Amino acid sequence: MALFAVFQASFLLALLSFRTYQSEVLSEPLPLTPESLEVSINSAQQCLSLQWRVHNLTYHQELKMVFQIEISRIETSNVIWVENYSTPVMWNQVLHWSWESELPLECATHFVRIRSRVDDASIPELSFWSKWTSWEEVDAQNLLEQDPLVVLPKDKLVEEGSNVTICYVSRSPESNISCALEGVPIHGERLSPNASAFILNNVRFIRETGTNIYCLSPSNVSGTVLFVSKVLEEPKDFSCETRDLKSLNCTWDPGRDTTLQHQFSQRYTLFESFSGKTKLCEHKKWCHWQVAPDSQETYNLTLIAENQLRRRNVSIFFNLTHRVHPMKPFNVFLKSISATNATMTWKVHPVGNYSTLLCQVALHGEGKVIQHNVSVKVKGQYFLSELEPVTEYVTRVRCAAANHFWKWSEWTGQTFTTLEAAPSEAPDVWRNVKAELGSHIVTLFWRPLSKSHAHGKILFYNVVIENLDNPSSVKLLSIPAPANGTELTLDQCSYQIHVTANNSVGTSPASIIVISRDPGNKNVEERRIQGAEDGFSLSWKPQSGGVRGYVVDWYPQDPRCQLQWKHLGPNTTSTVIRSDAFRPGIRYNFRIYEISTERIAYLLEKKTGYSQELAPSENPQVAVNNLTSHSFTLNWKDYSTDSQPSFIQGYHVYLKPNMEQCHPGFEKVVLSDDSVCCQYKINNPEQKTFVLENLQPESYEFLVTPYTSVGEGPHDTFTKVTIPDEYTHVLVRVVLPMIFCLVLLLVLCYLMTQWMKEKCYPDIPDPYKSSVLSLIKYKENHHPTIMNVHDCVPDAIEVVNKLEGRKIQFLGARKSLTEMEFTKPAYLYLLPTEKYSGPGPCICFENFTYNHAASDSGSCGHVPIPLKTPPSQLALLTSPENLLKSLEQNYVKSSGESPAGETSLNYVSQLASTSGDTSGDKDSLPTNPPGPALCSEYRTQMAVSLGLALPSPSESSSLSSITLLDQGKHRR
């Protein structure tokens, strides 16, 4: 027992010691430190993902813990983010947490660490922070490609108005790197020698394809695209309805479209909470939802709108039977159409078990809309009454649910036109009567019936003329429409005129006018009235008790405008005439007639006036008459006062004085141009002449302007009048005839001198102006005024030379002219071979171009030509052609090429005589040289040198005659 007691005591002591140790151990906090921290990088989302575990938790034990996470950038001391993360923690649970960086992770190195504490009320003793884990370094630059320059992030999607941080990373440290946003330079903060960051605040949407950002170094360029999306809006006007209780059609307003190119567009989804069904909508503005066959009536629909950046939703709660929108009616017809009635019928589509619909019928016509409601099950009908004839109507119908009104259906309708009916009103008729040569000229006027009274197209008007003095005399006139009047010539009898309008259905009531023997146009004084903005106010005094009414007619002063009138009741004594046709500056004439019980019109008053008076725009054309040395008369009788834009009250006569004082009756005034002149006022508008007297013989300037109550005419250019001296007319009457006679005498003397010159001293013709030159064909390179010898074919040549005072003729000799010795001057003549009785009268002209000596002498005489050949007797016969050939050889030589003393050329122009007939043989030679005589035309012109060598005549050539005469027998 003792042993047992010792053993028991020892066991109790050991147990006590163990419990004491256990109590001490449990009193210390358990180390619940995060362990196994791992950090991963999501480059696409720019996120850091963390996962870790908490050890020292017992099995099935769950504690609520708080984890504090710190993130540093570039250096561990540069803490940029601190966050407390609360979550329940279980034994052996892997915890996750992520952090999205505003700066792209590749731009800088990041460091992460974590600590924890127990946030559980059941264990308050463990609510202290654990130790920090070691820093976990995260370097995302290792994920970049080997590009020398990179701009980050790549193709980032952000919302409009947000802030974005971008950066660039260079493989080598460079300081000369510039960046730009859409071409606009941006400046940032350098993070490291290889990287810099830029913050873009409140970015804006530019285009769907994105916003361009690029960075440029001396050797490289890189960029990125920033996609800026509009902010997703909450759908508006979300509503659902049914048309047949089998399906729902939901519609909404999506707001701004956030879709971008190469990015996912916004999408819409319908979710019904009671059934838990979801449907992805194919359209952005509406979606179709199939109603469940279990007859579900209550729906709670949610519309979800989302894109990559945001999610929005809107919900509605409704009863299906309260959202019925019927389809539009069909088979709408009109039947039994008459002039005033019609019947309309239609059908409706059934809506589930609803048997009654409320339909609305609308009638449009004549600018009015009439609506009626009708209850309809399957077919509808409505009777349209009180319609206007020949009127186009549009009838429409729509329907809605009768029990729970939600919406009307669409309109559907038809157009129809009612039939014609007889006119319901008499035409509005008036007349104008003029007495002329014992008869009455009656002009009838009538206004077309309005559409509501015509009841159809008016085809013609019937005018029935009844002679009241002879009732059996009736005349019918049919006036085709659209005429609005006619003219009648009636005698001195009284007539009753009926006017009716007719269409294809019937005749209107008649308008009756009575024309009395006395037309009633008695002399009534015309009074002036003044119009106002609202028209002309007229009043009159009745002259008799029993009247049917009054008529006021009016017309403008322009006779081309038509007469207008207005009918008034018998108790009316005043009225206001209004018309859109009234114009300022136009005079209107008014006449007021009283209509007796016998329908006879009597003129009461005549009035005239303007709706608004205007100042005269033109001055009268003034003529100056009776001009004397002391006065003249101004006359403007053609000036019409009735056609002016206001009532003419008189005239102003302006006179510009040459002296400071004005004439008697004139007063000095200052015009608008600050000029001073004298004014005379004529107060009588009918006085259109004015005499200015006591004037001096000088110039005066005058102007005549009309004046009215609203002003006077324009101050146009003044007209100048010169007052003649009293002796001026005497000088004019004497001096002018003398000057005229002297001029006439000078003209006669000049004409007589010209005539004497032509008869006694005619002008010598100019060879250069001869018409013969135009008939000759000149060779090339020859001056057109020098004749070519080859072109002149002579009929005869006469050579005159003085050889010892005798005349020698050579006929038939073949000895050339160069073999002859001439000591005296020789002359060469061209003589016609035609028959003539002897030397006829002829005028000789010498061409001074070929003979300078003749040009110096100034006469038409022959110039001596020295000849080397001694004088001998020579007679030569040869053809003209051979002679011309020889002549042409020497002709081309100029006078400068010929040696001194050689034969020169002498030009002779011979005229053919026309006095009498010529006789003689053609081949015979004249024995005497021709002398000067008067001729009417040229025969031959040529130049010949006597030093020529003449060839022998050929057999085929015709003979020509050459005669040599001495100088003494030549006659000038």
Side-chain angles (χ1 to χ4, degrees):
M1 290 297 292
L3 181 61
F4 176 77
V6 173
F7 179 77
Q8 184 178 10
S10 300
F11 177 78
L12 291 175
L13 290 174
L15 180 63
L16 179 62
S17 298
F18 176 76
R19 287 184 176 180
T20 303
Y21 173 76
Q22 185 179 12
S23 174
E24 291 177 359
V25 172
L26 291 177
S27 63
E28 294 179 1
L30 297 176
L32 300 179
T33 304
E35 298 180 356
S36 304
L37 176 62
E38 296 180 3
V39 182
S40 60
I41 300 174
N42 186 348
S43 297
Q45 301 294 331
Q46 291 295 317
C47 292
L48 291 178
S49 298
L50 282 66
Q51 67 177 21
W52 67 93
R53 297 174 185 270
V54 179
H55 295 276
N56 300 329
L57 286 175
T58 58
Y59 184 72
H60 296 307
Q61 184 180 9
E62 181 177 348
L63 295 176
K64 184 177 181 182
M65 299 185 67
V66 177
F67 299 91
Q68 190 175 63
I69 304 169
E70 279 189 355
I71 301 177
S72 298
R73 181 176 294 161
I74 302 176
E75 297 178 353
T76 56
S77 60
N78 183 25
V79 178
I80 63 172
W81 191 267
V82 177
E83 183 177 334
N84 293 332
Y85 172 57
S86 299
T87 182
V89 182
M90 298 181 64
W91 175 78
N92 205 27
Q93 179 183 357
V94 179
L95 301 176
H96 296 272
W97 181 81
S98 62
W99 173 72
E100 182 178 357
S101 175
E102 294 181 354
L103 177 70
L105 298 174
E106 296 85 352
C107 296
T109 303
H110 292 78
F111 301 91
V112 181
R113 70 178 180 175
I114 188 172
R115 67 179 178 175
S116 64
R117 69 179 178 87
V118 176
D119 189 20
D120 198 322
S122 62
I123 312 178
E125 62 272 12
L126 296 179
S127 60
F128 60 89
W129 291 106
S130 68
K131 295 181 180 180
W132 289 101
T133 62
S134 61
W135 288 101
E136 292 291 332
E137 182 179 351
V138 182
D139 189 1
Q141 291 187 1
N142 299 327
L143 303 178
L144 294 176
E145 299 177 356
Q146 298 302 317
D147 295 335
L149 182 63
V150 180
V151 180
L152 299 169
K154 293 293 186 181
D155 300 338
K156 184 177 181 62
L157 176 64
V158 298
E159 277 188 338
E160 185 179 25
S162 60
N163 301 330
V164 181
T165 302
I166 64 172
C167 73
Y168 71 83
V169 177
S170 176
R171 293 297 181 184
S172 59
E174 294 186 20
S175 59
N176 191 16
I177 297 178
S178 60
C179 298
L181 171 67
E182 289 292 332
V184 179
I186 55 177
H187 305 281
E189 176 186 1
R190 181 171 289 276
L191 303 177
S192 67
N194 296 348
S196 292
F198 304 87
I199 299 177
L200 305 179
N201 296 317
N202 193 19
V203 293
R204 295 298 179 188
F205 173 83
I206 296 179
R207 65 180 72 88
E208 292 183 357
T209 55
T211 302
N212 298 320
I213 303 172
Y214 65 90
C215 293
L216 182 66
S217 70
S219 59
N220 297 286
V221 61
S222 179
T224 184
V225 178
L226 184 66
F227 291 94
V228 181
S229 170
K230 294 184 178 296
V231 179
L232 179 66
E233 297 180 352
E234 182 179 286
K236 303 178 183 64
D237 303 329
F238 178 47
S239 175
C240 296
E241 63 185 21
T242 181
R243 311 204 77 165
D244 53 5
L245 298 180
K246 297 179 181 180
S247 62
L248 281 171
N249 186 32
C250 298
T251 60
W252 61 89
D253 179 11
R256 294 182 300 179
D257 189 7
T258 63
T259 303
L260 295 177
Q261 191 173 0
H262 308 305
Q263 300 291 334
F264 294 104
S265 63
Q266 61 198 59
R267 57 184 179 271
Y268 295 87
T269 304
L270 279 179
F271 172 72
E272 206 284 310
S273 60
F274 294 131
S275 62
K277 294 181 179 180
T278 302
K279 181 178 181 180
L280 181 63
C281 300
E282 299 178 356
H283 304 277
K284 294 182 178 181
K285 295 183 178 182
W286 61 274
C287 193
H288 190 71
W289 181 275
Q290 192 68 30
V291 174
D294 55 0
S295 300
Q296 177 184 349
E297 292 187 356
T298 305
Y299 286 83
N300 186 9
L301 283 172
T302 300
L303 176 65
I304 303 170
E306 57 185 340
N307 59 11
Q308 291 179 276
L309 302 174
R310 194 179 293 270
R311 175 189 176 102
R312 297 184 182 274
N313 60 76
V314 61
S315 300
I316 56 172
F317 180 84
F318 61 92
N319 190 302
L320 182 64
T321 59
H322 297 175
R323 296 293 183 98
V324 177
H325 182 196
M327 289 183 285
K328 67 179 181 179
F330 63 99
N331 289 347
V332 179
F333 297 103
L334 276 302
K335 60 183 181 179
S336 303
I337 301 175
S338 65
T340 56
N341 302 313
T343 301
M344 178 183 178
T345 61
W346 68 93
K347 293 183 179 180
V348 296
H349 296 274
V351 182
N353 296 327
Y354 285 84
S355 58
T356 303
L357 293 177
L358 178 65
C359 294
Q360 187 179 71
V361 177
L363 182 66
H364 300 260
E366 295 295 313
K368 302 177 182 178
V369 179
I370 303 175
Q371 295 181 348
H372 303 277
N373 294 334
V374 182
S375 296
V376 177
K377 293 184 177 181
V378 178
K379 296 182 179 180
Q381 178 176 318
Y382 187 76
F383 180 72
L384 304 172
S385 59
E386 298 180 358
L387 305 179
E388 293 293 333
V390 197
T391 303
E392 183 180 74
Y393 289 95
V394 177
T395 179
R396 302 190 301 170
V397 61
R398 61 181 180 178
C399 299
N403 297 330
H404 302 284
F405 180 84
W406 168 243
K407 284 183 180 179
W408 289 107
S409 68
E410 294 82 5
W411 287 102
T412 181
Q414 291 288 341
T415 301
F416 70 98
T417 303
T418 54
L419 303 180
E420 288 190 1
S424 60
E425 293 289 337
D428 186 3
V429 181
W430 186 236
R431 91 295 179 277
N432 185 38
V433 181
K434 292 190 298 183
E436 184 176 317
L437 299 177
S439 61
H440 293 159
I441 306 300
V442 179
T443 303
L444 292 179
F445 305 94
W446 57 80
R447 293 191 176 102
L449 293 176
S450 64
K451 186 177 180 181
S452 60
H453 294 152
H455 294 170
K457 182 180 180 180
I458 301 300
L459 302 178
F460 58 92
Y461 295 90
N462 282 335
V463 179
V464 178
I465 306 169
E466 180 182 357
N467 192 330
L468 296 181
D469 298 335
N470 185 10
S472 61
S473 177
V474 178
K475 183 178 181 181
L476 173 64
L477 298 178
S478 182
I479 311 298
N484 57 0
T486 186
E487 186 174 283
L488 307 174
T489 301
L490 306 177
D491 54 20
Q492 296 292 338
C493 298
S494 298
Y495 287 88
Q496 183 172 274
I497 301 175
H498 302 252
V499 180
T500 57
N502 299 264
N503 61 12
S504 60
V505 176
T507 302
S508 70
S511 291
I512 302 176
I513 288 181
V514 175
I515 306 299
S516 175
R517 296 186 183 92
D518 181 10
N521 295 338
K522 60 182 179 179
N523 294 328
V524 177
E525 182 181 357
E526 186 177 70
R527 296 167 56 189
R528 293 182 178 180
I529 58 174
Q530 183 62 46
E533 293 182 358
D534 58 344
F536 290 89
S537 179
L538 304 177
S539 61
W540 58 92
K541 295 181 180 180
Q543 294 186 356
S544 60
V547 295
R548 295 179 59 91
Y550 299 92
V551 174
V552 178
D553 66 8
W554 67 92
Y555 56 92
Q557 195 66 34
D558 189 352
R560 297 172 295 178
C561 298
Q562 195 172 8
L563 180 73
Q564 300 294 325
W565 67 93
K566 180 180 180 180
H567 287 276
L568 300 171
N571 298 324
T572 304
T573 58
S574 63
T575 186
V576 177
I577 305 299
R578 298 181 178 90
S579 176
D580 294 335
F582 289 151
R583 296 290 180 266
I586 302 298
R587 182 185 293 191
Y588 295 92
N589 301 318
F590 297 87
R591 296 180 298 187
I592 302 173
Y593 289 90
E594 179 186 77
I595 309 301
S596 66
T597 55
E598 292 82 11
R599 303 178 185 272
I600 300 175
Y602 295 98
L603 180 61
L604 294 182
E605 295 183 12
K606 294 169 64 176
K607 299 183 180 183
T608 184
Y610 296 85
S611 61
Q612 179 183 351
E613 289 191 75
L614 302 177
S617 59
E618 295 181 356
N619 293 326
Q621 298 293 330
V622 181
V624 178
N625 300 325
N626 302 328
L627 181 62
T628 66
S629 59
H630 298 286
S631 66
F632 61 88
T633 303
L634 302 180
N635 183 358
W636 59 95
K637 293 183 178 180
D638 296 334
Y639 186 70
S640 175
T641 57
D642 295 337
S643 60
Q644 302 308 313
S646 56
F647 292 114
I648 303 299
Q649 297 180 351
Y651 303 93
H652 288 155
V653 179
Y654 293 96
L655 188 66
K656 286 187 176 181
N658 295 330
M659 302 176 62
E660 295 184 357
Q661 294 183 353
C662 296
H663 289 73
F666 287 83
E667 61 180 4
K668 187 174 295 186
V669 295
V670 179
L671 300 182
S672 57
D673 58 353
D674 296 333
S675 62
V676 179
C677 63
C678 300
Q679 180 194 73
Y680 185 88
K681 187 174 183 179
I682 301 176
N683 296 323
N684 183 10
E686 300 302 325
Q687 178 182 342
K688 299 180 181 180
T689 59
F690 182 73
V691 179
L692 284 87
E693 298 178 331
N694 301 324
L695 303 178
Q696 298 296 326
E698 56 185 4
S699 296
Y700 292 88
E701 295 183 21
F702 71 89
L703 176 67
V704 177
T705 62
Y707 70 88
T708 64
S709 60
V710 294
E712 64 175 336
H715 293 161
D716 291 335
T717 305
F718 280 67
T719 303
K720 187 175 183 180
V721 176
T722 301
I723 302 299
D725 188 47
E726 58 182 350
Y727 301 104
T728 302
H729 65 281
V730 178
L731 296 177
V732 171
R733 293 179 182 179
V734 175
V735 173
L736 287 182
M738 293 180 62
I739 293 176
F740 176 77
C741 294
L742 181 59
V743 171
L744 181 61
L745 182 59
L746 291 176
V747 171
L748 292 178
C749 292
Y750 175 77
L751 295 178
M752 182 62 69
T753 303
Q754 292 296 110
W755 180 82
M756 292 291 292
K757 182 178 179 181
E758 291 179 1
K759 295 300 182 180
C760 300
Y761 306 99
D763 293 336
I764 299 174
D766 188 354
Y768 286 97
K769 300 180 181 179
S770 174
S771 61
V772 176
L773 293 176
S774 62
L775 303 176
I776 300 175
K777 300 180 179 177
Y778 300 102
K779 290 187 177 182
E780 297 181 358
N781 302 327
H782 285 184
H783 195 279
T785 60
I786 302 174
M787 293 186 299
N788 193 343
V789 178
H790 180 69
D791 295 330
C792 298
V793 181
D795 291 330
I797 298 177
E798 181 180 359
V799 179
V800 180
N801 188 25
K802 184 175 181 182
L803 296 178
E804 298 178 358
R806 53 192 180 93
K807 180 173 120 177
I808 304 173
Q809 293 184 352
F810 299 91
L811 297 176
R814 298 189 179 270
K815 194 174 183 179
S816 63
L817 293 176
T818 57
E819 300 176 357
M820 295 182 295
E821 297 290 339
F822 292 96
T823 60
K824 299 295 183 179
Y827 292 91
L828 181 64
Y829 277 83
L830 300 182
L831 302 177
T833 57
E834 298 178 1
K835 297 178 181 181
Y836 64 97
S837 57
C842 186
I843 298 176
C844 174
F845 300 98
E846 293 198 9
N847 190 338
F848 300 146
T849 304
Y850 297 96
N851 194 330
H852 182 70
S855 176
D856 295 338
S857 63
S859 63
C860 192
H862 300 287
V863 178
I865 303 175
L867 299 176
K868 293 182 180 180
T869 305
S872 61
Q873 295 181 350
L874 176 62
L876 177 67
L877 292 176
T878 183
S879 63
E881 291 80 0
N882 294 334
L883 176 61
L884 292 174
K885 291 179 180 179
S886 300
L887 293 175
E888 185 179 3
Q889 295 176 0
N890 291 340
Y891 169 75
V892 297
K893 296 182 179 180
S894 64
S895 60
E897 297 175 353
S898 300
E902 290 186 358
T903 305
S904 62
L905 296 179
N906 186 21
Y907 176 86
V908 179
S909 176
Q910 181 174 339
L911 300 178
S913 175
T914 57
S915 59
D917 298 334
T918 60
S919 63
D921 191 0
K922 179 179 181 181
D923 297 332
S924 64
L925 296 175
T927 58
N928 296 319
L934 297 176
C935 301
S936 61
E937 63 178 329
Y938 290 99
R939 285 299 183 90
T940 307
Q941 291 182 348
M942 68 177 293
V944 178
S945 175
L946 293 183
L948 299 177
L950 300 180
S952 61
S954 63
E955 296 177 359
S956 60
S957 60
S958 60
L959 295 178
S960 297
S961 175
I962 298 177
T963 305
L964 299 178
L965 303 177
D966 60 11
Q967 187 177 2
K969 294 185 178 181
H970 173 68
R971 292 182 300 170
R972 299 294 301 269

